[in-house]
């Protein structure tokens, strides 16, 4: 079964969707859209470093994304104007990554695969890493769920309950870096944050509880993967952008439903 490239693409997309739903919900609740952009855009620099040193793409992107996520998390505790800082870091990270990758001849011809994903080229090893990482991130989110949720609702309330918001912010930073590394082959660095935000934003008006929103976002992300891959196969469109376009279509439809 895994010899079929389309089946592997579907399984890889569903693996990312499985974790994009709950993690994307936290990104929406905490208004971390630019946080995701900065982390995802930094992944291009990780790609350049990995190719330059002939290392694993996943390892390089995860290390750089983690460094960016922790840096942004540290800045968040200093009371800076975070929307401006995150905007500067996101675009600077992408620009530096593109400049760095231009010095790696092996990456020039396949740059679009890292920017927009190449899910149809996912192999068995990629599939194993995606699902192992997704299960690991889900386990962490399940373990810290109540603490993460309390810290997202109100940091003062979290501190009164004996929860350190800084620790929960670091946990989210680490899980976000892992998801960025896992997703770069599926939707690419430019579309990772969209895959996190759009399904969660669509689920927001369709859910009554945080757990319901996370579950609904996961279902929307999974359906977007299937619809996007189907459209890519039938219409010969890029797979990664097709997946995000399908999610965007669901978001538009969700706006016609009155929030509960």
């Amino acid at each position: 079964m895994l010899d079929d490239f389309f089946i592997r693409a579907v399984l890889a997309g569903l693996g990312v969707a499985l974790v994009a739903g709950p993690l994307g919900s936290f990104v929406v609740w905490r208004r971390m859209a630019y946080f995701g952009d900065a982390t995802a855009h930094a992944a291009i620099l990780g790609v350049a470093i990995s190719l330059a040193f002939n290392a694993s793409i996943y390892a390089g992107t995860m290390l750089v994304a983690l460094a960016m996520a922790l840096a942004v998390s540290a800045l968040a505790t200093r009371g800076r104007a975070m929307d401006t800082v995150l905007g500067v870091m996101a675009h600077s990270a992408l620009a530096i990554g593109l400049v760095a990758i231009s010095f790696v001849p092996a990456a020039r011809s396949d740059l679009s695969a890292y920017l927009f994903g190449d899910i149809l080229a996912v192999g068995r090893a990629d599939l194993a890493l995606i699902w192992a990482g997704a299960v690991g991130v889900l386990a962490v989110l399940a373990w810290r769920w109540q603490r993460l949720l309390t810290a997202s609702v109100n940091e003062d309330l979290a501190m009164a309950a004996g929860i350190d918001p800084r620790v929960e912010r670091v946990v989210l930073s680490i899980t976000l870096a892992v998801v960025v590394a896992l997703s770069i082959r599926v939707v690419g660095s430019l579309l990772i944050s969209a895959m996190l935000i759009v399904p969660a934003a669509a689920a927001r008006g369709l859910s009554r509880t945080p757990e319901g929103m996370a579950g609904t976002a996961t279902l929307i992300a999974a359906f977007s993967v299937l619809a996007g891959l189907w459209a890519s196969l039938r219409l010969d469109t890029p797979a990664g952008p097709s997946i995000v376009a399908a999610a965007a279509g669901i978001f538009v439809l969700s706006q016609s439903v009155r929030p509960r």
Side-chain angles (χ1 to χ4, degrees):
M1 181 180 70
L2 294 183
D3 289 333
D4 188 336
F5 76 95
F6 191 76
I7 296 297
R8 290 197 301 271
V10 168
L11 292 177
L14 292 179
V16 171
L18 186 66
V19 72
L23 186 59
S25 297
F26 280 110
V27 171
V28 170
W29 292 330
R30 298 176 70 98
R31 299 179 181 178
M32 295 168 59
Y34 260 127
F35 187 101
D37 278 340
T39 306
H41 291 173
I44 286 294
L45 179 58
V47 170
I49 293 173
S50 299
L51 294 175
F53 291 95
N54 197 26
S56 168
I57 295 295
Y58 293 106
T61 53
M62 188 177 300
L63 287 175
V64 174
L66 180 59
M68 175 63 79
L70 292 177
V72 172
S73 181
L75 288 173
T77 63
R78 299 186 179 182
R80 298 175 183 269
M82 285 308 297
D83 56 342
T84 302
V85 173
L86 287 174
V88 170
M89 295 185 72
H91 298 299
S92 298
L94 178 60
I96 293 171
L98 290 173
V99 170
I101 210 168
S102 69
F103 291 101
V104 184
R108 292 180 186 176
S109 61
D110 202 25
L111 183 58
S112 63
Y114 301 114
L115 292 175
F116 303 108
D118 192 10
I119 189 173
L120 298 178
V122 167
R124 293 187 180 188
D126 299 314
L127 198 56
L129 282 172
I130 288 171
W131 274 91
V135 170
V137 169
L138 280 180
V140 171
L141 292 179
W143 170 45
R144 309 289 297 187
W145 180 265
Q146 196 58 51
R147 289 174 172 268
L148 287 168
L149 189 58
T150 304
S152 298
V153 172
N154 190 301
E155 292 194 353
D156 293 332
L157 178 63
M159 293 180 69
I163 300 170
D164 189 345
R166 294 172 298 181
V167 173
E168 307 313 317
R169 192 180 296 115
V170 169
V171 170
L172 278 179
S173 300
I174 294 172
T175 54
L176 186 60
V178 172
V179 172
V180 165
L182 296 177
S183 304
I184 196 164
R185 289 296 300 274
V186 177
V187 290
S189 67
L190 294 184
L191 302 176
I192 293 171
S193 57
M195 194 61 183
L196 288 168
I197 296 167
V198 178
R204 193 170 196 172
L206 306 175
S207 311
R208 293 181 176 181
T209 64
E211 293 79 9
M213 178 174 164
T216 303
T218 301
L219 292 176
I220 291 174
F223 181 81
S224 300
V225 168
L226 297 176
L229 286 175
W230 178 85
S232 175
L233 187 65
R234 295 295 300 271
L235 305 176
D236 194 26
T237 56
S242 297
I243 291 171
V244 175
I250 296 173
F251 172 77
V252 172
L253 292 176
S254 73
Q255 299 309 293
S256 63
V257 179
R258 179 177 297 178
R260 298 175 178 177

